């Protein structure tokens, strides 16, 4: 099963700006889990106004939580939505 957190921003922020904040979240995860474990489990896809972070592992879940905190502080809670998508649960 693959779990994904899908972020959608009301305004285009730019892929480069989004990836900068994801990099901060990944770096924070390295302090907790170590670089090797993060390298194995960290996975995301970003565009100018959307991000998908794979949250199937504790590392991915942690990265998504940190990213939410960073973006909430930077933009505000009402500037983006987060949707959890669980793959593999369909009959």
């Amino acid at each position: 099963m693959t779990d994904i957190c899908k972020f959608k921003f009301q305004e285009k922020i730019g892929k480069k700006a989004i990836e900068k904040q994801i990099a901060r979240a990944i770096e924070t995860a390295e302090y907790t889990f170590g670089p090797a474990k993060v390298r194995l489990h960290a996975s995301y896809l970003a565009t100018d106004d959307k991000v998908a972070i794979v949250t199937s592992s504790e590392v991915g879940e942690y990265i998504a939580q940190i990213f939410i905190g960073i973006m909430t502080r930077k933009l505000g809670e009402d500037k983006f939505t987060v949707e959890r998508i669980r793959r593999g649960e369909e009959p």
Side-chain angles (χ1 to χ4, degrees):
M1 178 183 349
T2 302
D3 292 346
I4 298 170
C5 275
K6 182 179 168 183
F7 298 79
K8 186 170 183 182
F9 299 93
Q10 289 182 2
E11 300 174 10
K12 290 187 179 184
I13 317 174
K15 184 177 177 181
K16 190 173 180 176
I18 289 173
E19 287 186 328
K20 180 179 178 182
Q21 303 312 319
I22 291 175
R24 289 179 61 199
I26 290 171
E27 182 179 16
T28 302
E30 288 179 347
Y31 298 139
T32 303
F33 298 102
K37 191 168 186 176
V38 171
R39 188 171 183 178
L40 286 172
H41 294 282
S43 184
Y44 73 91
L45 179 64
T47 66
D48 286 338
D49 63 347
K50 295 178 189 155
V51 176
I53 299 175
V54 177
T55 56
S56 300
S57 69
E58 64 182 338
V59 172
E61 184 77 22
Y62 186 85
I63 290 168
Q65 290 172 5
I66 297 299
F67 184 69
I68 289 170
I70 290 169
M71 297 314 284
T72 298
R73 187 167 281 184
K74 192 168 189 63
L75 303 175
E77 285 183 16
D78 59 339
K79 300 297 182 188
F80 65 97
T81 59
V82 182
E83 176 186 5
R84 182 177 291 271
I85 301 168
R86 296 183 185 263
R87 303 278 185 196
E89 289 186 354
E90 297 87 25

